[in-house]
Amino acid sequence: MDKKTVVVGMSGGVDSSVAAYLLKEQGYNVIGVTMQIWQDENRCDIEENGGCCGLSAVDDARRIAFKLDIPYYVMNFKREFKENVIDYFVDEYKRGHTPNPCIACNRYVKWESLLRRSKEIGADYIATGHYARIEKHPVTGRYALKLSATSQKDQTYALYNLTQEQLKSTLMPVGEYTKDEIREIASKIDNFVSKKKDSQEICFIPDNDYGNFIEKEYGFKAKKGNFVDTDGNILGKHRGIIYYTVGQRKGLGVSFGKPMYVYEIRPETNEVVLCENDALFHKRLYADNINLMAVPEIKGDMRFMAKIRYSHKKAPCTVRMIDENVMECVFDEPQRAITPGQAVVLYDGDYVAGGGTIISSKE
């Protein structure tokens, strides 16, 4: 092959290290890059949780790059990360939604920003250590994500928002392997990195206390309000809507004598609506911010399998556009805790057809 140049986003972890190794073995000119996205360079507690954006990522990635004999750089993406990920995350919680910051980071930082800078320095591709594959759909001919070789580690859900141009310029060599196989390959490169645990989902909140992060880091004062039932009866007081998400049971702070769950969050009245488990199941959802991948358009009623969260088991559904911006997804069977702010991702067999951001649900 002509020696194409690829910039590999290196977090210092197992997967991205092996991605760089595999691509060099395949004959690419590999350049390692760590994206500097952490906001406070003194907050090293991220490392204890295996964060992908902490300071020690640079030390580990640089060591791997040295062992692989590839150039290595650190690029500053602080501004892009704050504007597109952290600010978005906070704004969504204030609206009573539960965002997925990894999806925003993938689209606007790890791809849009990194790809632009990589092209500026003459690279042909970027690459990551995600467990997914990129292929042209056999019917539509469009670039699409395909499920990874291992369903246990598939990461296509969090990548549904990538564009055709981004997919065209991306390599994902790890998607052909299982996690055990990747760790085995990593042990040949660096024994320490091969044993590192996987990074946590939200790297900038190491203790997972989202509400506390929003109050402390953004100076937002959460207002106490009423827990109400679906008929509007007051059941108690809540700490502030930023502390809750649809389907939540633990951490409500009030005892009701029976299991109660968050049904809905109403920022306009500062109410958190509670219900029993059966009321959490809905068949219909609406989504906007649509990104289509394997299919060029949603025309009429189309059948797909869909996921409403990363850990959700795909379920059959019928999808249609109700206007040019909003998609309706009707499941064959009711799904539990459809959550505004999360993504609904559509699958056509092993391929990602597209997806969008959930805005509401109905029975």
Coordinates of all heavy atoms in Angstrom, one line a residue, residues 6-7 19 23 26 28 106 110-111 115 124-138 140-149 154-177 292-294 347 350-353:
V6 N -2.0 8.3 9.3 CA -3.1 8.3 10.2 C -2.8 8.8 11.5 O -1.7 8.5 12.1 CB -3.7 6.8 10.3 CG1 -2.6 5.8 10.8 CG2 -4.9 6.8 11.3
V7 N -3.6 9.7 12.1 CA -3.4 10.2 13.4 C -4.3 9.4 14.4 O -5.5 9.3 14.2 CB -3.9 11.7 13.5 CG1 -4.0 12.2 15.0 CG2 -2.9 12.6 12.8
A19 N -4.7 0.0 18.9 CA -5.0 0.6 17.6 C -3.8 1.2 16.9 O -3.6 0.9 15.7 CB -6.1 1.7 17.8
L23 N -2.2 -0.5 13.3 CA -2.1 0.3 12.1 C -0.7 0.4 11.6 O -0.4 0.4 10.4 CB -2.7 1.7 12.4 CG -4.2 1.7 12.5 CD1 -4.7 3.1 13.1 CD2 -4.9 1.4 11.2
Q26 N 0.1 -2.7 9.8 CA -0.6 -2.7 8.5 C 0.1 -1.8 7.5 O -0.3 -1.8 6.3 CB -2.1 -2.3 8.7 CG -2.9 -3.3 9.4 CD -4.3 -2.8 9.8 OE1 -4.8 -1.8 9.2 NE2 -4.9 -3.4 10.8
Y28 N 0.8 1.7 7.8 CA 0.5 3.1 7.9 C 1.6 3.9 8.5 O 2.3 3.4 9.4 CB -0.8 3.4 8.6 CG -2.1 2.9 7.9 CD1 -2.6 1.7 8.2 CD2 -2.8 3.8 7.1 CE1 -3.8 1.2 7.6 CE2 -3.9 3.3 6.4 CZ -4.4 2.1 6.7 OH -5.6 1.7 6.0
N106 N -17.7 12.5 21.1 CA -17.3 11.8 19.9 C -17.5 12.6 18.6 O -16.6 12.7 17.8 CB -18.1 10.5 19.8 CG -17.6 9.4 20.8 OD1 -16.5 9.5 21.2 ND2 -18.5 8.5 21.2
K110 N -13.7 14.5 19.4 CA -12.8 13.5 19.0 C -12.8 13.3 17.4 O -11.9 12.8 16.9 CB -13.2 12.1 19.6 CG -12.9 12.1 21.1 CD -13.2 10.7 21.7 CE -12.8 10.7 23.2 NZ -13.3 9.4 23.9
W111 N -13.9 13.7 16.8 CA -14.0 13.6 15.4 C -13.9 15.0 14.7 O -12.9 15.3 14.0 CB -15.2 12.9 14.9 CG -14.9 11.5 14.6 CD1 -14.5 10.9 13.5 CD2 -14.8 10.4 15.6 NE1 -14.2 9.5 13.6 CE2 -14.4 9.2 14.9 CE3 -15.1 10.3 17.0 CZ2 -14.3 8.0 15.6 CZ3 -14.9 9.1 17.6 CH2 -14.5 8.0 16.9
L115 N -10.2 15.7 13.6 CA -10.1 15.4 12.1 C -9.7 16.7 11.4 O -8.8 16.6 10.5 CB -11.5 14.9 11.6 CG -11.5 14.6 10.1 CD1 -10.4 13.5 9.7 CD2 -12.9 14.1 9.6
D124 N -4.2 11.5 6.3 CA -5.3 11.0 5.5 C -6.5 10.6 6.3 O -7.6 10.6 5.9 CB -4.8 9.9 4.6 CG -3.6 10.3 3.7 OD1 -3.9 11.0 2.7 OD2 -2.5 9.9 4.0
Y125 N -6.2 10.0 7.5 CA -7.2 9.5 8.4 C -6.9 9.8 9.8 O -5.8 10.2 10.2 CB -7.2 7.9 8.3 CG -7.4 7.3 6.9 CD1 -6.3 6.9 6.2 CD2 -8.7 7.2 6.4 CE1 -6.5 6.3 4.9 CE2 -8.9 6.6 5.2 CZ -7.8 6.2 4.4 OH -8.0 5.6 3.2
I126 N -8.0 9.7 10.6 CA -7.8 9.6 12.1 C -8.3 8.2 12.5 O -9.0 7.5 11.7 CB -8.6 10.6 12.9 CG1 -10.1 10.5 12.6 CG2 -8.2 12.0 12.5 CD1 -11.0 11.3 13.5
A127 N -7.8 7.8 13.7 CA -8.2 6.4 14.2 C -8.4 6.5 15.7 O -7.8 7.3 16.4 CB -7.1 5.4 13.8
T128 N -9.3 5.6 16.2 CA -9.5 5.5 17.6 C -9.5 4.0 18.0 O -9.5 3.1 17.1 CB -10.9 6.1 18.0 OG1 -11.9 5.3 17.4 CG2 -11.0 7.5 17.4
G129 N -9.6 3.8 19.3 CA -9.7 2.4 19.8 C -11.1 2.0 20.1 O -11.3 1.1 21.0
H130 N -12.1 2.5 19.4 CA -13.5 2.1 19.6 C -13.8 0.7 19.1 O -13.2 0.3 18.0 CB -14.4 3.1 19.0 CG -14.6 4.4 19.7 ND1 -13.8 5.5 19.5 CD2 -15.4 4.7 20.8 CE1 -14.2 6.5 20.3 NE2 -15.1 6.0 21.1
Y131 N -14.7 0.0 19.8 CA -15.1 -1.3 19.3 C -16.3 -1.1 18.3 O -17.4 -1.2 18.7 CB -15.5 -2.2 20.5 CG -14.3 -2.7 21.3 CD1 -13.7 -1.9 22.2 CD2 -13.7 -3.9 21.0 CE1 -12.5 -2.3 22.9 CE2 -12.6 -4.4 21.7 CZ -12.0 -3.6 22.7 OH -10.9 -4.0 23.3
A132 N -15.9 -0.9 17.1 CA -16.9 -0.8 16.0 C -16.2 -0.9 14.7 O -14.9 -0.9 14.7 CB -17.6 0.6 16.1
R133 N -16.9 -1.2 13.6 CA -16.3 -1.3 12.3 C -17.0 -0.3 11.4 O -18.1 0.0 11.5 CB -16.5 -2.7 11.8 CG -15.7 -3.7 12.6 CD -15.9 -5.2 12.1 NE -17.1 -5.7 12.6 CZ -17.5 -7.0 12.5 NH1 -16.7 -7.8 11.8 NH2 -18.7 -7.4 12.9
I134 N -16.2 0.2 10.4 CA -16.8 1.1 9.4 C -16.8 0.4 8.0 O -15.7 -0.1 7.5 CB -15.9 2.4 9.3 CG1 -16.0 3.1 10.6 CG2 -16.5 3.3 8.2 CD1 -15.0 4.3 10.7
E135 N -17.9 0.3 7.4 CA -18.1 -0.3 6.1 C -19.1 0.4 5.3 O -19.9 1.2 5.9 CB -18.5 -1.8 6.2 CG -17.5 -2.7 6.9 CD -18.0 -4.2 6.9 OE1 -19.0 -4.5 6.3 OE2 -17.3 -5.0 7.5
K136 N -19.1 0.2 4.0 CA -20.2 0.8 3.2 C -21.4 -0.2 3.3 O -21.2 -1.4 3.2 CB -19.8 0.9 1.7 CG -18.9 2.2 1.5 CD -18.7 2.4 0.0 CE -17.9 3.7 -0.2 NZ -17.8 4.0 -1.6
H137 N -22.6 0.4 3.4 CA -23.8 -0.5 3.5 C -24.0 -1.2 2.2 O -23.9 -0.6 1.1 CB -25.0 0.4 3.8 CG -26.2 -0.4 4.2 ND1 -27.1 -0.9 3.2 CD2 -26.7 -0.8 5.4 CE1 -28.1 -1.5 3.8 NE2 -27.9 -1.5 5.1
P138 N -24.2 -2.5 2.2 CA -24.3 -3.3 1.0 C -25.5 -2.9 0.0 O -25.4 -3.1 -1.2 CB -24.5 -4.7 1.5 CG -25.1 -4.6 2.8 CD -24.4 -3.3 3.4
T140 N -27.3 0.6 0.3 CA -27.3 2.0 0.0 C -26.0 2.6 -0.4 O -25.9 3.6 -1.0 CB -27.8 2.8 1.3 OG1 -26.8 2.6 2.3 CG2 -29.1 2.3 1.8
G141 N -24.9 1.8 -0.1 CA -23.6 2.3 -0.5 C -23.0 3.4 0.4 O -22.0 4.0 0.1
R142 N -23.8 3.8 1.4 CA -23.3 4.8 2.3 C -22.4 4.3 3.4 O -22.5 3.1 3.8 CB -24.5 5.5 3.0 CG -25.3 6.4 2.1 CD -26.7 6.8 2.7 NE -26.5 7.5 4.0 CZ -26.4 8.8 4.0 NH1 -26.3 9.6 2.9 NH2 -26.2 9.4 5.2
Y143 N -21.5 5.1 3.9 CA -20.6 4.7 5.0 C -21.5 4.5 6.2 O -22.4 5.3 6.5 CB -19.5 5.8 5.2 CG -18.5 5.8 4.2 CD1 -18.5 6.7 3.2 CD2 -17.4 4.9 4.3 CE1 -17.5 6.7 2.2 CE2 -16.4 4.9 3.3 CZ -16.4 5.8 2.3 OH -15.5 5.9 1.3
A144 N -21.2 3.5 7.0 CA -22.0 3.2 8.2 C -21.1 2.4 9.2 O -20.1 1.7 8.8 CB -23.2 2.4 7.8
L145 N -21.5 2.6 10.4 CA -20.9 1.7 11.5 C -21.5 0.4 11.4 O -22.7 0.2 11.3 CB -21.1 2.4 12.8 CG -20.4 3.7 13.1 CD1 -21.0 4.4 14.4 CD2 -18.9 3.5 13.3
K146 N -20.7 -0.6 11.6 CA -21.1 -2.0 11.7 C -20.8 -2.5 13.1 O -19.7 -2.1 13.7 CB -20.5 -2.9 10.7 CG -21.0 -4.3 10.6 CD -20.3 -5.1 9.5 CE -20.9 -6.5 9.4 NZ -20.2 -7.3 8.3
L147 N -21.6 -3.4 13.7 CA -21.3 -3.9 15.0 C -19.9 -4.5 15.1 O -19.4 -5.0 14.1 CB -22.3 -5.0 15.4 CG -23.8 -4.6 15.5 CD1 -24.7 -5.8 15.8 CD2 -24.0 -3.5 16.5
S148 N -19.3 -4.4 16.2 CA -17.9 -4.9 16.4 C -18.0 -6.4 16.4 O -19.1 -7.0 16.5 CB -17.3 -4.4 17.7 OG -18.0 -5.0 18.8
A149 N -16.8 -7.0 16.4 CA -16.7 -8.5 16.4 C -17.2 -9.1 17.7 O -17.6 -10.3 17.7 CB -15.3 -8.9 16.1
D154 N -19.4 -3.8 22.1 CA -19.8 -3.0 21.0 C -20.1 -1.5 21.4 O -20.8 -1.3 22.4 CB -21.0 -3.5 20.3 CG -21.4 -2.7 19.1 OD1 -20.8 -2.8 18.1 OD2 -22.4 -2.0 19.2
Q155 N -19.5 -0.6 20.7 CA -19.6 0.9 21.0 C -20.3 1.7 19.9 O -20.2 2.9 19.9 CB -18.2 1.4 21.4 CG -17.6 0.9 22.6 CD -16.2 1.4 22.9 OE1 -15.4 1.3 22.1 NE2 -16.0 1.9 24.1
T156 N -21.0 1.0 19.0 CA -21.7 1.8 18.0 C -22.7 2.8 18.5 O -22.9 3.8 17.8 CB -22.3 0.8 17.0 OG1 -23.2 -0.1 17.7 CG2 -21.3 0.0 16.2
Y157 N -23.4 2.4 19.6 CA -24.4 3.3 20.1 C -23.9 4.8 20.3 O -24.6 5.7 19.9 CB -25.0 2.8 21.4 CG -26.0 3.7 22.1 CD1 -27.3 3.7 21.8 CD2 -25.6 4.6 23.1 CE1 -28.2 4.5 22.4 CE2 -26.5 5.4 23.7 CZ -27.8 5.4 23.4 OH -28.7 6.2 24.0
A158 N -22.7 4.9 20.9 CA -22.2 6.2 21.2 C -21.6 6.9 20.0 O -21.1 8.0 20.1 CB -21.2 6.1 22.3
L159 N -21.6 6.2 18.9 CA -21.0 6.8 17.7 C -21.9 7.1 16.5 O -21.5 7.4 15.4 CB -19.9 5.8 17.1 CG -18.7 5.5 18.1 CD1 -17.9 4.3 17.6 CD2 -17.8 6.7 18.3
Y160 N -23.2 6.9 16.8 CA -24.3 7.0 15.8 C -24.3 8.4 15.1 O -24.8 8.6 14.0 CB -25.7 6.7 16.3 CG -26.3 8.0 16.9 CD1 -27.1 8.8 16.2 CD2 -26.0 8.3 18.3 CE1 -27.7 10.0 16.8 CE2 -26.6 9.4 18.8 CZ -27.4 10.3 18.1 OH -27.9 11.4 18.6
N161 N -23.7 9.4 15.7 CA -23.9 10.8 15.3 C -22.8 11.2 14.3 O -22.7 12.4 13.9 CB -23.9 11.7 16.5 CG -24.8 13.0 16.3 OD1 -25.6 13.0 15.4 ND2 -24.6 14.0 17.1
L162 N -21.9 10.3 13.9 CA -20.8 10.7 13.0 C -21.4 10.9 11.6 O -22.3 10.2 11.2 CB -19.7 9.6 13.0 CG -19.1 9.3 14.3 CD1 -18.0 8.3 14.2 CD2 -18.5 10.5 15.0
T163 N -20.7 11.8 10.9 CA -21.2 12.1 9.5 C -20.5 11.2 8.5 O -19.5 10.5 8.8 CB -20.8 13.6 9.2 OG1 -19.4 13.7 9.1 CG2 -21.3 14.5 10.2
Q164 N -21.0 11.3 7.2 CA -20.4 10.5 6.2 C -18.9 10.9 6.0 O -18.0 10.0 5.8 CB -21.2 10.7 4.9 CG -22.5 10.1 4.9 CD -22.5 8.6 4.9 OE1 -22.1 8.0 3.9 NE2 -22.9 8.0 6.0
E165 N -18.6 12.2 6.0 CA -17.2 12.6 5.8 C -16.3 12.1 6.9 O -15.2 11.7 6.7 CB -17.2 14.1 5.7 CG -15.8 14.7 5.4 CD -15.2 14.2 4.1 OE1 -15.9 14.0 3.1 OE2 -13.9 14.0 4.0
Q166 N -16.8 12.2 8.1 CA -16.0 11.7 9.3 C -15.8 10.2 9.2 O -14.7 9.7 9.4 CB -16.8 12.0 10.6 CG -16.8 13.5 10.9 CD -17.7 13.9 12.0 OE1 -18.6 13.1 12.4 NE2 -17.5 15.1 12.6
L167 N -16.8 9.4 8.8 CA -16.7 8.0 8.7 C -15.7 7.6 7.6 O -14.8 6.7 7.7 CB -18.0 7.3 8.4 CG -19.0 7.3 9.5 CD1 -20.4 6.9 9.0 CD2 -18.6 6.4 10.7
K168 N -15.8 8.4 6.5 CA -14.9 8.1 5.3 C -13.4 8.3 5.7 O -12.5 7.7 5.1 CB -15.2 9.1 4.2 CG -14.4 9.0 2.9 CD -14.9 10.0 1.9 CE -14.0 10.0 0.7 NZ -14.4 11.0 -0.3
S169 N -13.1 9.2 6.7 CA -11.8 9.5 7.1 C -11.3 8.8 8.4 O -10.4 9.3 9.0 CB -11.6 11.0 7.2 OG -12.0 11.7 6.0
T170 N -12.0 7.8 8.8 CA -11.8 7.1 10.1 C -11.4 5.7 9.9 O -12.0 5.0 9.1 CB -13.0 7.3 11.0 OG1 -13.3 8.7 11.2 CG2 -12.7 6.6 12.3
L171 N -10.5 5.2 10.7 CA -10.1 3.8 10.8 C -10.4 3.3 12.3 O -10.1 4.0 13.2 CB -8.6 3.6 10.5 CG -8.2 4.1 9.1 CD1 -6.7 3.9 9.0 CD2 -8.9 3.4 8.0
M172 N -10.9 2.1 12.4 CA -11.2 1.5 13.7 C -10.7 0.1 13.7 O -11.5 -0.8 13.7 CB -12.7 1.6 14.0 CG -13.3 3.0 14.2 SD -15.0 3.0 14.6 CE -15.4 4.7 14.8
P173 N -9.5 -0.1 13.8 CA -8.9 -1.5 13.8 C -9.3 -2.4 14.9 O -9.3 -3.6 14.8 CB -7.4 -1.3 13.7 CG -7.2 0.1 14.4 CD -8.4 0.9 14.0
V174 N -9.7 -1.8 16.1 CA -10.0 -2.6 17.3 C -11.3 -3.4 17.1 O -11.5 -4.4 17.7 CB -10.0 -1.7 18.5 CG1 -10.5 -2.4 19.7 CG2 -8.5 -1.2 18.8
G175 N -12.2 -2.9 16.2 CA -13.5 -3.5 16.1 C -13.5 -4.9 15.6 O -14.5 -5.6 15.6
E176 N -12.4 -5.4 15.1 CA -12.3 -6.7 14.6 C -11.9 -7.8 15.7 O -11.8 -9.0 15.4 CB -11.2 -6.8 13.5 CG -11.5 -5.9 12.3 CD -12.7 -6.4 11.4 OE1 -13.1 -7.6 11.6 OE2 -13.2 -5.6 10.6
Y177 N -11.7 -7.3 16.9 CA -11.2 -8.2 18.0 C -12.1 -8.2 19.2 O -12.9 -7.2 19.4 CB -9.8 -7.7 18.4 CG -8.8 -7.7 17.3 CD1 -8.6 -6.7 16.4 CD2 -7.9 -8.8 17.1 CE1 -7.7 -6.7 15.4 CE2 -6.9 -8.9 16.1 CZ -6.8 -7.8 15.3 OH -5.9 -7.8 14.3
L292 N -28.6 10.6 10.0 CA -28.8 9.3 9.3 C -27.4 8.8 8.8 O -26.5 9.6 8.4 CB -29.7 9.5 8.1 CG -31.1 9.9 8.5 CD1 -32.0 10.1 7.2 CD2 -31.8 8.9 9.4
M293 N -27.2 7.5 8.9 CA -25.9 6.9 8.5 C -26.1 5.9 7.4 O -25.7 6.2 6.3 CB -25.3 6.3 9.8 CG -23.9 5.8 9.7 SD -23.2 5.3 11.2 CE -22.9 6.9 12.0
A294 N -26.6 4.7 7.6 CA -26.7 3.7 6.6 C -27.7 4.0 5.6 O -27.7 3.6 4.4 CB -26.9 2.3 7.2
Y347 N -30.9 0.4 14.1 CA -30.0 -0.6 13.5 C -30.8 -1.3 12.4 O -31.9 -1.7 12.5 CB -29.6 -1.6 14.5 CG -28.6 -1.0 15.5 CD1 -29.1 -0.4 16.7 CD2 -27.2 -1.2 15.4 CE1 -28.2 0.2 17.6 CE2 -26.3 -0.7 16.3 CZ -26.8 0.0 17.4 OH -25.9 0.5 18.4
D350 N -26.8 -5.5 11.2 CA -25.6 -5.2 11.9 C -25.1 -3.7 11.7 O -24.1 -3.3 12.3 CB -24.4 -6.1 11.5 CG -24.6 -7.5 12.0 OD1 -25.4 -7.7 12.8 OD2 -23.9 -8.4 11.4
Y351 N -25.8 -3.0 10.9 CA -25.4 -1.6 10.6 C -26.2 -0.5 11.3 O -27.4 -0.7 11.6 CB -25.6 -1.3 9.1 CG -24.6 -2.2 8.2 CD1 -25.0 -3.4 7.8 CD2 -23.4 -1.7 7.9 CE1 -24.2 -4.2 7.0 CE2 -22.5 -2.5 7.1 CZ -23.0 -3.8 6.6 OH -22.1 -4.5 5.9
V352 N -25.6 0.6 11.7 CA -26.3 1.7 12.3 C -27.0 2.5 11.2 O -26.3 3.0 10.3 CB -25.3 2.6 13.1 CG1 -26.0 3.9 13.6 CG2 -24.7 1.9 14.2
A353 N -28.3 2.6 11.2 CA -29.1 3.3 10.2 C -29.1 4.8 10.5 O -29.1 5.6 9.6 CB -30.5 2.8 10.2

